Structure formats: structure tokens, C-alpha cells
Amino acid sequence: MSNRGILTQDMKRLVDEQRLGFFATVCADGSPNLSPKGTIAVWDENHLAFGNIRSPRTLENLRRNPSIDINVVDPFTRQGYRFKGIASILEIGPAYDRAIDFYRARGSKVSAFKQVVLIEIREAQFIDSPAYDYGMTESEIRDRWERHYELLRSGVRSPSDPEIPESSPSSSA
């Protein structure tokens, strides 16, 4: 029997590289709440974490319903992962102290943290752009998005959609 965790090396790499995840929780009225977190980190083989700096709605929702979904995607390759899990809010005590030490070692400004949220990952799924379905390579997709952002930085807005190529799968045959 393997003791292997749910988080693969590639999942951990992506989270460590991107350092930004989009976290979905459920509001009291059943509506979704989506919030970006720039403090996402790999805690261990089965857990992700984030330091709460300014997310009162997210914390309110997690206190009522600890279910959480997280998306982390490389904006250039348009590949990433969807994580589903159960959150625990750490506010005081030895687990909180360990979490603060963990973030301090990463160079985070822990004085800004109000809580640390530890997420036990129950499911993880690879996600990518439909552009791959059209036969585009990772390099081609990366080049398109790099050009898109270069144009934006220079003040030019491109009218074309860099996500999906102009040809369809059937016309490229």
C-alpha cells in the first residue's frame, strides 16, 4: 500500500511557481464566492494553505461550510489544476504557530495574516485550454499569450482572441 499523497510533483511545482489561486466558497444564500489568494502554498503531500489577509467573506463562508474549490492556472500555458477540499481555519495555538513559521520561512509578511487556512485536498484534476483540442502546442499557446501581454503593456489591445486559433480541428486536417 502506497503512502503517496494526492498532490503530485507537477501540482506542487505549479502552485509554487504561480503563487496565485482562485478560491471558491459557498455563501449563506447558496451563491458562489470567488476570491483570489496570493498566499497559496503547498503545505504537504495532501494540503494546500493560504494566509488570510483580507478575505472576510471567504472566512465567513468557510466557518459555515468548509468545502472549498481552488483553481491554479499558468496564464501563459493555460494549464493548471482544480483542487477540491475541506478547509480548517487556524487562528491560535500550535498548528497556527507552525503555519506562521512555515510562511515566515517562505519570506511572507506574516504580520499581515489574520488567520491561516489549511485545506485538506480530497480531489485534484488537471485542467487546460480548449486550444490544445485544436492541436496547438504548449509553446504556441505560450507565444500567443506572451504576445498578447506584450501588446497590452505597450498600450495596444488586440481584437483577436488568443485563446482559440482561427482554424477549427476539422479544417487543420
Side-chain angles (χ1 to χ4, degrees):
M1 179 127 133
S2 170
N3 288 342
R4 192 167 163 253
I6 196 165
L7 299 176
T8 66
Q9 290 297 24
D10 192 57
M11 292 172 188
K12 292 187 242 181
R13 174 200 58 80
L14 185 75
V15 169
D16 285 340
E17 286 177 1
Q18 295 306 309
R19 303 247 175 145
L20 176 66
F22 291 88
F23 291 67
T25 59
V26 180
C27 296
D29 66 1
S31 64
N33 179 66
L34 184 66
S35 181
K37 311 281 184 241
T39 57
I40 186 172
V42 174
W43 179 261
D44 63 22
E45 303 293 319
N46 293 302
H47 294 84
L48 296 175
F50 73 87
N52 176 38
I53 297 172
R54 193 174 59 190
S55 297
R57 173 76 48 91
T58 299
L59 273 282
E60 176 186 318
N61 292 343
L62 290 174
R63 289 183 201 290
R64 195 176 36 263
N65 177 349
S67 296
I68 192 164
D69 275 24
I70 306 155
N71 272 225
V72 180
V73 176
D74 181 315
F76 293 101
T77 67
R78 300 306 229 220
Q79 295 176 332
Y81 293 95
R82 174 180 295 133
F83 303 100
K84 290 182 170 287
I86 301 296
S88 300
I89 301 168
L90 308 178
E91 298 182 82
I92 192 168
Y96 174 78
D97 294 341
R98 277 194 313 277
I100 291 298
D101 289 344
F102 167 81
Y103 272 102
R104 186 175 288 117
R106 287 172 50 92
S108 297
K109 184 178 180 180
V110 296
S111 62
F113 290 8
K114 294 175 177 63
Q115 299 89 4
V116 174
V117 177
L118 189 61
I119 301 122
E120 178 188 353
I121 302 303
R122 303 252 173 109
E123 295 177 40
Q125 175 187 6
F126 176 76
I127 53 177
D128 65 4
S129 167
Y132 290 96
D133 298 342
Y134 286 83
M136 293 187 72
T137 66
E138 182 177 312
S139 178
E140 290 169 330
I141 292 170
R142 178 183 296 280
D143 289 348
R144 279 177 162 240
W145 283 104
E146 285 176 353
R147 277 194 307 279
H148 171 77
Y149 287 113
E150 286 170 15
L151 287 172
L152 286 177
R153 279 192 296 277
S154 66
V156 177
R157 293 188 68 118
S158 173
S160 67
D161 179 359
E163 188 67 24
I164 303 296
E166 293 177 24
S167 64
S168 68
S170 58
S171 67
S172 64

